[in-house]
Every structure is written in C-alpha cells, then in structure tokens.
Amino acid sequence: ALRRAGAEHLVLDLRRTAAGSPELGIKVARLFVASGTLGIREARSEGRQTFTAESGDGTITLPVTILTDNGTAGAAEIFAAALVGNKRATLVGERTLGRAATQELIPLPDGSALWMSTARFLAPDATPIHAKGLTPDVEVKSVTSAEFGDKVPETDPVLDKALELVAARPAA
C-alpha cells in the first residue's frame, strides 16, 4: 500500500523508544529482513539462541533509515541492530542506550529482591548490544530536551539529516 501511494523510502523514528520485550524487536525485524541472522540471545544457563529470518519474512522491501538517540533501547535497539546487520537500514542520530536484555526480579530470603539481567542480546554479527549500544552510521546531535513550558524547537537536526540523505540517495 505504501509503494502504491508513492513511498520510496521509510524513515522510522525510534528515538525515546524503550518499551517492549526484547523478543518484539526480533518479531518486527522479520517484516523487513528476508534472510540472514536477526539477532542472538545469550543466557548463561541456556547458551546462545540464534534468531534467523524464515520463509515469508521480509515483506517490507522499501529502503529504511532509522532515527536513534540515547533513549532508544530494548526492543527498538534489537530491531535496529537486525536491520543494520542485514544491510537493510542506515542509523542516523545518536548512540543508543545499550539496554538489550531480558531482566527478572529475583526474590531474596530477607524479603528484598534483586533486579537482574538473565540474558543479553547480540547483533547479527554477535556484537553485544547490551551495555554497548549501537553507533549510528551518521552521527547527529539531537536538540536538547526543553524544560516544561519552553518553546518547542522548530527544527529537528536528526530528521533533517535523514531526509537529506534520503533525497541524495539514487533511485532504486
């Protein structure tokens, strides 16, 4: 439907996107990646689990640019890593947070609890995402957050740079 409407490129804004289970990042990446490794889940007790594209994956074939910042985390980071690792997207913006893990609340005998990472996610090339983050292909500093009541900035340098790159891209 997007192609029929004239779309030639997708710009996905994942800035300040940190919600969702890590597995959702893999699930959404399946829409964009037809073949290859989508990501790797690594747990001390379970070893490595590699997620690969399956038959029927990759139905969205438009080129993709992903906007990121230090608020991009979890499922969004895993999704971005899957697309970048399979040469399906370009990252524009700032380094991501580096919080791509499965975490659990472990009760302790004294009634307290420990919030613990029980598995971490790796990019398709087995590079850790958790505690490292993703470095954008094109680094652009975001506009600093405004204080409550401040005028909203009229420009968005990250989006502007992404649109500039899309416009300069040769037609497919």
Side-chain angles (χ1 to χ4, degrees):
L2 290 170
R3 279 196 189 276
R4 286 191 301 275
E8 297 176 8
H9 197 106
L10 298 176
V11 177
L12 306 177
D13 191 347
L14 299 184
R15 296 175 291 177
R16 295 172 295 284
T17 303
S21 72
E23 290 77 9
L24 285 176
I26 298 292
K27 186 175 182 176
V28 177
R30 290 187 182 287
L31 296 170
F32 293 86
V33 180
S35 66
T37 299
L38 301 173
I40 302 164
R41 181 180 182 271
E42 184 176 66
R44 186 178 309 237
S45 62
E46 301 167 17
R48 284 189 174 185
Q49 177 184 7
T50 301
F51 299 93
T52 57
E54 299 170 350
S55 177
D57 288 351
T59 56
I60 300 173
T61 59
L62 291 166
V64 179
T65 298
I66 298 174
L67 310 184
T68 62
D69 67 4
N70 62 12
T72 306
E77 276 180 302
I78 294 165
F79 167 75
L83 269 63
V84 169
N86 285 283
K87 301 187 182 349
R88 284 287 292 118
T90 301
L91 294 187
V92 177
E94 297 177 314
R95 175 181 287 279
T96 64
L97 183 60
R99 186 162 298 151
T102 302
Q103 299 180 320
E104 294 179 32
L105 189 61
I106 310 295
L108 299 174
D110 68 358
S112 63
L114 175 67
W115 188 248
M116 189 166 93
S117 294
T118 56
R120 67 181 183 156
F121 280 79
L122 312 175
D125 66 357
T127 303
I129 303 168
H130 189 66
K132 304 283 184 197
L134 304 173
T135 301
D137 300 300
V138 180
E139 290 194 57
V140 180
K141 182 82 174 139
S142 293
V143 174
T144 57
S145 297
E147 293 293 323
F148 185 73
D150 285 353
K151 183 178 178 187
V152 175
E154 293 182 22
T155 62
D156 182 341
V158 176
L159 178 59
D160 292 345
K161 184 63 171 180
L163 295 175
E164 176 187 318
L165 293 169
V166 169
R169 179 185 160 94

